[in-house]
Amino acid sequence: MVNQRTNPEAFWVTEECITQLNTAGDTSTLRHRRTVPTSSETLQTLSEDRRSQTAELDDTQSSNGTSAHFSPGGHFSQDPQSSRVVLMLVAGLCFATRLYKITEPPHVCWDETHFGKMGSYYINRTFFFDVHPPLAKMLIGLAGYMTGYDGTFPFGKPGDKYEHHNYWGMRGLCAVLGSFLPIFAYVIVQDLSRSYTAALITATLLIFDTGCITISQYILLDPILLFFIMAAVLSMVKFNLQRFRPFTSYWWLWLVLTGVNLAGALGVKFVGLFVILLVGLNTVWDLWRILGDLSLSLVEISKHFLARVVGLILVPLFLYVTIFAVHFVVLNKSGPGDGFFSSAFQSRLIGNNLHNASMPEYLAYGSTITVKNLRIAGGYLHSHWHLYPEGVGARQQQVTAYLHKDYNNVWLVHKQDNNASDLVRHGDIIRLEHKETTRNLHGHLHEAPLTKKHFQVTGYGINGTGDTNDLWQVEVCGGQKGDVVKVLRSKIRFLHRATGCVLYSSGKTLPKWGWEQVEVTCSPYLKETPSSQWNIEDHINPKLPNISLSVLKPHFLEILLESHIVMIRGNSGLKPKDNEMNSKPWHWPINYQGLRFSGVNDTEYRVYLLGNPVVWWMNLASLGLYPIMVAVASITLQRGFSLEHSLVLMREGGLLLLGWLLHYAPFYTMGRVLYFHHYFPAMLFSSMLTADYCNLYHCQLGLKIHLEIIGKKITFNFRTCLNFYLFHPLSYGMTGPLAHEPGSAMAGQKWMDSWEF
């Protein structure tokens, strides 16, 4: 094969011949031409490489302001001026549909209660806990601050009126970023398929999808996540098109931008890992191709490898860590998230009782204490007046682990032996009395509520009186008999004297009867683990001298690691909200069930997240037909026939299908609660694949019926817009009668019983 770098003239001659064949007016000549069997593979490979190279060079010319050439099958040629006009039209429709009625309804909708509140926390510099990385919330807070929001609105619950508070800036940020999704998809499909038609179909599908509009108009993480995912894919595609111009300025630009957007996607949600995997697989394939290029020396191959390490690993990693560094610097005040983190972590927060605090260094009898489990998000030892329900062990007072600071976390330390010294030491036997209810920490052989091989822990007795099941032996981990217990620094265990088990925080969330707090058990397995280890946090004893706790402040890498462990465990433990329907992954592609954002009756302003049925069901059909079309194309190519755009469908379409699979299939393995909005990253890929499939269907037909197909495409776009018109009240809000009542704005549009508008 002639190398284009060493003989560019040969390349252009080959391309000229291909162009003349494709534009001669009878595409069937090329489609049905039989190649010589002995050389079919060579000719096929040559044609594939030349088409790929031509497309890549054309893209570079287009990005530099010269002409852009689309495949003849699209039957559109586009000069730079018309390209800009079309792109401006697409952008105008994107921003118009997303920014329309951005301030309505003027009350909190769905998860705005969480993410709007978190934006306020950044403005007030108040520390909080969330299961997602911080970038999106930081941007929301910044947008609110820049548009005059003062961070004082409580975001208490859905339906709360915003009144005089400036919430439009936070919604506006999400809407603006959501407006870029059809634009990015337009450019991605244009670069992949070299088809003006396919790009316009993609833009139409996404611009007029009611679901994409709805999810972009509110203070949510999703539009910000989708923005970075699509930006990463766009950068990756642009970088692929520069593969024959390595180490040029454009090559480096798109490589670094890919890394930047990968960091942005992961910095919003851990779902960003899926697009990182997509880019990673594309990079592996690219490096494999480079490794097979015999014209490259080992030094050049090494340079390619190192460049990708820098652009796709080191740059994203640096930016991701920087996001958390800013997060920790900004949120330097004590807040509602303190209890999820260790005592050392809390000591760095202004206003926390451990920040620059002083307390007695050694635990003593008569002290008032709080006891914190060393498991990440293990919680504080906690009790309250509520009893275990009937059938859950002994019907005694509940003992749990609570993740927030609370007066019900306070315990008193009592002696079991009057001859004991004033300080608590390794091996001492003590009794812990709950200060609020005066009941003792109690263990017995009843089965634990959730962890069936463990024993139940309860509160028993009254005013300090109880029985021998209230006695616990203190063990300092790694200590010897007589060693004193150091506040905050000693890792201790509580060994139950009667049963021989050890006090344990399982990390499991109790049901509603346990107020969704963490289960505390007595474990018969005595191996030392963070779940069975505790430390003394708050310590009050006026008889003892105090010391400063400033020595406890952790360094950055420690708090970075701890925050990730807390986020991952918190994410896996998410439960459905009251009166809110979760969904299953198989529901999503068929648009089976939407999600109520606001309102439930005819007097409220109702917003309902649901995809445009034409768009979603067309996507579903394309996903089903794609494997069939690839099989047909593979067979025809193997038999020696050449079908236009078959290689585009198989390669570029395969990339889009892989993106859909990576953003959809993993949800089947997740144990956490799932909602309809989790499908939207995958939906973007399926929409782009639909456009690619529609373009192939158009391109494979003869010239004599192209006008008929164009008419069908116009009809399809009209149908998409018509459905958008019919279903737009779901996105922009509606009042009055419900869908099943006369006079409703959605009368006759409830095509599936599972739709709840």
Side-chain angles (χ1 to χ4, degrees):
M1 185 179 294
V2 179
N3 190 299
Q4 181 258 330
R5 282 185 293 267
T6 59
N7 194 346
E9 182 180 355
F11 168 76
W12 288 112
V13 170
T14 303
E15 174 55 27
E16 182 180 358
C17 294
I18 293 173
T19 304
Q20 289 175 354
L21 281 173
N22 286 342
T23 57
D26 185 4
T27 58
S28 62
T29 301
L30 181 60
R31 284 198 301 273
H32 302 295
R33 176 178 55 82
R34 183 81 180 199
T35 59
V36 178
T38 56
S39 59
S40 61
E41 182 177 351
T42 303
L43 290 176
Q44 177 183 325
T45 305
L46 178 61
S47 176
E48 177 182 345
D49 289 346
R50 296 315 183 207
R51 289 185 185 186
S52 175
Q53 293 174 7
T54 304
E56 288 150 4
L57 292 173
D58 285 346
D59 177 82
T60 305
Q61 291 171 349
S62 177
S63 65
N64 289 336
T66 60
S67 62
H69 304 288
F70 295 86
S71 62
H75 296 284
F76 289 93
S77 61
Q78 187 181 22
D79 57 54
Q81 185 174 358
S82 62
S83 175
R84 286 192 291 269
V85 170
V86 172
L87 191 57
M88 289 176 61
L89 176 62
V90 168
L93 287 172
C94 290
F95 285 96
T97 52
R98 271 65 180 172
L99 293 173
Y100 177 62
K101 299 180 72 172
I102 191 66
T103 59
E104 296 184 18
H107 61 248
V108 178
C109 293
W110 193 48
D111 271 356
E112 285 188 327
T113 185
H114 299 303
F115 304 121
K117 183 185 298 182
M118 292 171 188
S120 299
Y121 285 144
Y122 279 104
I123 294 174
N124 297 316
R125 307 192 67 176
T126 303
F127 187 77
F128 67 94
F129 165 70
D130 185 43
V131 297
H132 305 299
L135 178 59
K137 282 96 64 178
M138 292 168 62
L139 294 175
I140 289 170
L142 179 63
Y145 178 78
M146 296 295 291
T147 54
Y149 172 58
D150 58 5
T152 58
F153 185 71
F155 287 95
K157 63 182 183 301
D160 288 352
K161 299 290 185 183
Y162 284 115
E163 297 176 342
H164 62 280
H165 294 277
N166 288 335
Y167 62 96
W168 63 268
M170 293 181 284
R171 281 190 181 175
L173 168 73
C174 296
V176 167
L177 295 183
S179 299
F180 280 98
L181 302 181
I183 301 172
F184 288 165
Y186 175 92
V187 179
I188 291 169
V189 172
Q190 177 180 304
D191 286 341
L192 288 177
S193 67
R194 313 308 303 161
S195 170
Y196 181 40
T197 303
L200 283 178
I201 292 173
T202 303
T204 302
L205 293 176
L206 296 180
I207 289 172
F208 296 109
D209 179 60
T210 50
C212 286
I213 292 173
T214 305
I215 208 166
S216 298
Q217 287 196 307
Y218 298 93
I219 307 171
L220 304 172
L221 306 187
D222 299 273
I224 306 175
L225 171 68
L226 297 175
F227 172 86
F228 282 113
I229 288 176
M230 292 296 284
V233 174
L234 174 61
S235 301
M236 177 188 72
V237 170
K238 290 289 189 183
F239 174 71
N240 287 343
L241 295 176
Q242 300 293 325
R243 68 165 63 104
F244 293 102
R245 288 180 168 83
F247 307 109
T248 61
S249 57
Y250 279 104
W251 189 90
W252 278 110
L253 171 67
W254 292 116
L255 176 64
V256 172
L257 281 180
T258 303
V260 169
N261 288 308
L262 290 179
L266 187 60
V268 173
K269 278 188 176 183
F270 288 127
V271 172
L273 287 169
F274 301 151
V275 75
I276 290 177
L277 182 57
L278 176 65
V279 173
L281 292 174
N282 177 80
T283 303
V284 169
W285 176 254
D286 191 28
L287 289 173
W288 181 253
R289 177 191 60 80
I290 291 172
L291 187 62
D293 189 344
L294 299 181
S295 67
L296 295 178
S297 67
L298 289 178
V299 173
E300 290 177 298
I301 293 174
S302 300
K303 287 170 60 179
H304 275 280
F305 177 80
L306 291 175
R308 286 156 176 80
V309 169
V310 171
L312 301 179
I313 297 178
L314 297 183
V315 168
L317 182 61
F318 171 77
L319 293 176
Y320 183 74
V321 171
T322 301
I323 290 168
F324 277 88
V326 175
H327 168 73
F328 293 134
V329 168
V330 173
L331 301 184
N332 63 350
K333 298 180 181 178
S334 178
D338 293 14
F340 288 86
F341 294 83
S342 66
S343 304
F345 186 101
Q346 295 178 43
S347 68
R348 55 177 293 277
L349 298 174
I350 300 172
N352 187 281
N353 61 308
L354 300 179
H355 180 70
N356 292 334
S358 60
M359 63 178 62
E361 182 178 9
Y362 303 113
L363 180 63
Y365 294 105
S367 295
T368 301
I369 63 171
T370 60
V371 184
K372 185 172 177 59
N373 188 255
L374 295 187
R375 174 192 179 103
I376 299 297
Y380 294 94
L381 187 64
H382 177 95
S383 188
H384 40 234
W385 289 102
H386 303 280
L387 306 181
Y388 285 101
E390 194 71 37
V392 182
R395 190 168 169 78
Q396 297 176 5
Q397 184 170 293
Q398 296 177 17
V399 171
T400 65
Y402 190 46
L403 296 175
H404 303 278
K405 291 181 178 291
D406 187 86
Y407 62 88
N408 277 324
N409 301 341
V410 179
W411 301 80
L412 301 175
V413 183
H414 294 297
K415 296 180 181 180
Q416 186 267 338
D417 183 0
N418 290 331
N419 295 324
S421 65
D422 291 336
L423 299 180
V424 178
R425 300 178 182 274
H426 178 93
D428 282 4
I429 298 173
I430 67 170
R431 179 169 51 84
L432 290 176
E433 177 187 333
H434 188 241
K435 185 174 183 181
E436 176 66 17
T437 63
T438 72
R439 289 192 167 94
N440 297 325
L441 184 68
H442 181 90
H444 47 220
L445 294 177
H446 290 275
E447 192 176 66
L450 301 179
T451 310
K452 299 305 181 183
K453 293 184 179 181
H454 290 196
F455 302 129
Q456 183 187 36
V457 177
T458 68
Y460 180 75
I462 190 74
N463 291 326
T465 61
D467 59 26
T468 55
N469 282 332
D470 302 339
L471 301 179
W472 302 82
Q473 182 172 326
V474 176
E475 293 184 344
V476 178
C477 297
Q480 299 177 351
K481 188 173 179 62
D483 287 350
V484 296
V485 177
K486 296 180 179 180
V487 173
L488 291 170
R489 286 174 288 177
S490 290
K491 298 178 181 180
I492 61 175
R493 301 198 307 166
F494 297 98
L495 186 68
H496 191 242
R497 290 289 294 171
T499 62
C501 57
V502 64
L503 192 66
Y504 189 93
S505 174
S506 70
K508 299 177 181 178
T509 303
L510 293 168
K512 300 295 184 184
W513 57 256
W515 305 94
E516 297 183 340
Q517 296 174 11
V518 179
E519 178 193 39
V520 168
T521 68
C522 199
S523 171
Y525 308 104
L526 302 184
K527 181 180 179 180
E528 291 187 1
T529 68
S531 295
S532 64
Q533 296 173 334
W534 307 75
N535 72 279
I536 308 302
E537 184 170 290
D538 295 299
H539 182 213
I540 299 175
N541 193 320
K543 297 181 180 180
L544 298 176
N546 294 336
I547 63 165
S548 173
L549 302 181
S550 59
V551 295
L552 294 174
K553 290 183 180 179
H555 56 71
F556 173 72
L557 291 180
E558 288 178 324
I559 62 178
L560 180 66
L561 177 61
E562 181 176 345
S563 64
H564 278 76
I565 296 174
V566 173
M567 285 189 293
I568 292 170
R569 289 181 175 170
N571 222 320
S572 62
L574 288 176
K575 301 292 183 181
K577 302 183 180 73
D578 290 335
N579 303 318
E580 185 173 49
M581 291 293 293
N582 59 319
S583 61
K584 296 178 173 58
W586 69 265
H587 292 170
W588 304 339
I590 62 176
N591 214 20
Y592 177 78
Q593 187 180 43
L595 190 63
R596 185 180 294 112
F597 270 36
S598 175
V600 294
N601 56 51
D602 58 0
T603 62
E604 296 178 324
Y605 196 96
R606 302 189 302 279
V607 177
Y608 190 73
L609 177 66
L610 187 73
N612 184 328
V614 166
V615 174
W616 286 61
W617 293 341
M618 186 73 176
N619 289 348
L620 184 62
S622 298
L623 289 168
L625 291 172
Y626 177 81
I628 300 174
M629 294 299 298
V630 168
V632 171
S634 299
I635 293 171
T636 54
L637 287 171
Q638 185 67 20
R639 294 294 298 166
F641 292 91
S642 177
L643 294 176
E644 288 186 43
H645 295 270
S646 295
L647 295 175
V648 172
L649 178 73
M650 295 169 64
R651 294 187 312 183
E652 282 70 13
L655 179 67
L656 296 175
L657 180 65
L658 179 62
W660 176 80
L661 284 171
L662 291 176
H663 286 83
Y664 176 56
F667 287 101
Y668 282 94
T669 66
M670 294 184 184
R672 56 153 291 169
V673 62
L674 298 173
Y675 298 106
F676 178 49
H677 69 96
H678 288 133
Y679 183 67
F680 276 83
M683 181 266 178
L684 297 177
F685 286 96
S686 66
S687 297
M688 291 188 286
L689 183 63
T690 296
D692 199 28
Y693 173 80
C694 290
N695 181 64
L696 174 75
Y697 176 66
H698 169 72
C699 293
Q700 298 307 328
L701 298 178
L703 289 173
K704 296 179 181 179
I705 57 172
H706 278 150
L707 290 177
E708 178 184 348
I709 301 305
I710 292 173
K712 289 184 177 180
K713 289 183 180 294
I714 294 173
T715 302
F716 168 72
N717 289 335
F718 174 76
R719 182 73 176 166
T720 303
C721 297
L722 175 61
N723 269 272
F724 168 71
Y725 173 76
L726 295 176
F727 284 88
H728 80 275
L730 299 180
S731 297
Y732 298 125
M734 53 189 169
T735 55
L738 303 178
H740 61 278
E741 298 173 349
S744 171
M746 296 302 298
Q749 304 306 318
K750 192 175 181 181
W751 299 349
M752 298 179 67
D753 292 336
S754 53
W755 295 350
E756 299 174 315
F757 51 76

